[in-house]
């Protein structure tokens, strides 16, 4: 019977250790993201309003406007391209014209112009 208790205690300790490791990994990712965001706020955007840029689509996601947008980066700067056609997918390279910056100038909204 004592062996069962030792095995159960070892299992609980293993689960606790795994939970701690996952929590540390997640919190280090969050702090890395916070550092990158703070650094982005200190630099000038690598794009200008009205400029047409090309970038690879890293994600298709829902925008706060309610429509789908293509997300990508230009020199590490995040661009959200709106008005994308339904056949745009991750990995495609597109052209978009920069319309506006967010409040902290760490990302920009753009409108889809075409495939690159």
């Amino acid at each position: 019977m004592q062996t069962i208790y030792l095995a159960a205690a070892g299992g609980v300790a293993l689960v606790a250790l795994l939970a701690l490791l996952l929590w540390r990994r997640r919190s280090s990712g969050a702090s890395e993201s916070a550092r990158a965001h703070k650094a982005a706020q200190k630099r000038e955007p690598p794009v200008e309003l009205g400029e047409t840029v090309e970038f690879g689509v890293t994600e298709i996601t829902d925008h706060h406007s309610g429509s789908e947008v293509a997300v990508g980066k230009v020199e590490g700067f995040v661009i959200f391209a709106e008005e994308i056609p339904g056949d745009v997918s991750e990995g495609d390279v597109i052209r978009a014209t920069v319309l506006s910056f967010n409040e902290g100038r760490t990302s920009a909204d753009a409108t889809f112009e075409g495939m690159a």
Side-chain angles (χ1 to χ4, degrees):
M1 191 65 146
Q2 197 174 31
T3 316
I4 293 173
Y5 290 130
L6 288 175
V12 169
L14 181 60
V15 168
L17 179 62
L18 287 172
L20 176 65
L21 290 173
L22 288 172
W23 175 79
R24 289 197 77 215
R25 180 183 228 179
R26 186 171 294 152
S27 65
S28 88
S31 63
E32 168 103 16
S33 176
R35 278 193 299 274
H37 183 73
K38 189 172 267 190
Q41 289 177 318
K42 293 179 182 177
R43 73 173 184 148
E44 286 297 312
V47 299
E48 296 181 17
L49 292 178
E51 179 180 3
T52 299
V53 295
E54 290 185 1
F55 62 91
V57 176
T58 57
E59 179 181 4
I60 303 291
T61 189
D62 293 328
H63 193 255
H64 60 80
S65 65
S67 61
E68 280 195 328
V69 296
V71 182
K73 292 184 179 182
V74 173
E75 296 178 31
F77 185 79
V78 178
I79 307 284
F80 297 94
E82 302 173 339
E83 301 178 16
I84 58 170
D87 62 343
V88 171
S89 59
E90 292 179 17
D92 288 345
V93 178
I94 64 171
R95 285 188 322 280
T97 300
V98 178
L99 301 175
S100 64
F101 296 112
N102 74 350
E103 186 177 323
R105 294 176 58 93
T106 57
S107 66
D109 288 330
T111 188
F112 177 83
E113 297 294 339
M115 303 299 278

